[in-house]
Amino acid sequence: MHRTRWRSIRVIALSGIALGSILTATTQTAQATPTGPDVSSWQHIDGRMIDWFAVRRSGHQFAMVKATEGLSYVNPYFVPDSLLMRAAGVARGTYHYAQPGLPPEPQAALYAAVVLGQNGPLDLPPVLDMEHSGGLDPAGLIDWTHRYLNTVRTLTGRMPIIYTYPNFWKSAMANTNVFTAYPLWIADYRGNDQPEVPGGWPAWTFWQTTDSGSIPGISGRTDINVYSGAQGDFARFAHMGGLTGSG
């Protein structure tokens, strides 16, 4: 994920994107291993938009988009990216960057209000990005995480995904195994055949393999992720059947 420094960015208004373009987006046959970037305002260098059609043509089926952070930050490119990636047929995941020094329920409410729903065609489940403790000890952070996840699940109707990296989970979360019911998105850039999986998870769902990848249509470097199949058929997991007419 991309860290919390940002500068004021002019929101670029989009016009002329018809709802019909979303419903007629072309969905290609699923790859053996679905892949995709995750993006934030950092991928909009000098205000440039992401060419989501180029991303899809290059073979990537999904992308994770930063929606919110803390209690007040909304990614200024979240709405344009959401509309364009749906039009291009790219499944959309969205994430909230946690600030555990602030209460969890209002953060969950902000996120749920911004993401424009998580149950439509091409929607992956919501994601909680856990990278900082906010000064909480492990017991406090575990409680904070439970409260956030319960609130988001109630507000969106979907089981959230947890994003983290091994060292953070083992230290800040005391390597707790109480969250194994939630899908895991793990960041591990060490180039091994498989990522390190902390916290007693039986399997990872998404693996962020690099933070310096290159994808057509995206300016500069970006994170790249792979789907494991742990949640079953990707098209079903991402609600692609709503576009293709398949189950």
Side-chain angles (χ1 to χ4, degrees):
M1 296 294 179
H2 299 279
R3 303 301 184 256
T4 59
R5 285 176 50 239
W6 61 78
R7 53 193 171 88
S8 177
I9 302 177
R10 176 174 58 86
V11 178
I12 299 177
L14 294 180
S15 61
I17 298 179
L19 178 61
S21 67
I22 297 174
L23 298 178
T24 59
T26 301
T27 304
Q28 299 176 4
T29 303
Q31 298 172 344
T33 306
T35 59
D38 61 86
V39 302
S40 66
S41 62
W42 289 103
Q43 277 67 49
H44 293 269
I45 297 171
D46 298 327
R48 281 174 278 176
M49 299 304 295
I50 293 172
D51 182 347
W52 287 106
F53 292 89
V55 172
R56 187 66 187 92
R57 284 195 302 270
S58 68
H60 298 287
Q61 294 189 34
F62 69 88
M64 306 294 195
V65 184
K66 181 174 183 178
T68 52
E69 177 176 335
L71 290 173
S72 59
Y73 177 75
V74 177
N75 174 10
Y77 292 99
F78 176 75
V79 171
D81 278 336
S82 292
L83 292 172
L84 287 172
M85 64 196 297
R86 286 175 184 271
V90 177
R92 183 192 71 152
T94 68
Y95 67 90
H96 175 77
Y97 191 100
Q99 292 290 356
L102 300 170
E105 290 85 1
Q107 292 188 59
L110 172 66
Y111 166 82
V114 166
V115 294
L116 309 176
Q118 292 290 147
N119 290 286
L122 295 175
D123 270 333
L124 288 162
V127 177
L128 174 62
D129 178 356
M130 291 293 294
E131 300 185 47
H132 296 287
S133 70
L136 300 179
D137 63 14
L141 192 57
I142 289 168
D143 177 69
W144 188 100
T145 304
H146 274 303
R147 290 164 57 194
Y148 179 93
L149 293 171
N150 287 339
T151 304
V152 162
R153 188 175 183 184
T154 298
L155 293 174
T156 66
R158 297 193 77 178
M159 176 71 83
I161 297 167
I162 296 174
Y163 169 95
T164 193
Y165 57 93
N167 287 343
F168 175 82
W169 198 265
K170 290 188 294 185
S171 58
M173 299 290 282
N175 208 30
T176 181
N177 63 1
V178 300
F179 294 100
T180 56
Y182 295 92
L184 173 66
W185 177 11
I186 192 72
D188 188 338
Y189 310 149
R190 290 174 290 185
N192 297 324
D193 291 338
Q194 293 288 324
E196 179 181 357
V197 177
W201 266 283
W204 55 272
T205 294
F206 291 101
W207 173 16
Q208 189 177 90
T209 60
T210 180
D211 62 353
S212 58
S214 179
I215 290 179
I218 299 178
S219 302
R221 297 296 178 179
T222 189
D223 306 331
I224 297 179
N225 307 273
V226 60
Y227 173 66
S228 71
Q231 306 303 318
D233 177 65
F234 183 76
R236 186 178 297 275
F237 189 45
H239 289 180
M240 287 180 171
L243 293 180
T244 64
S246 61

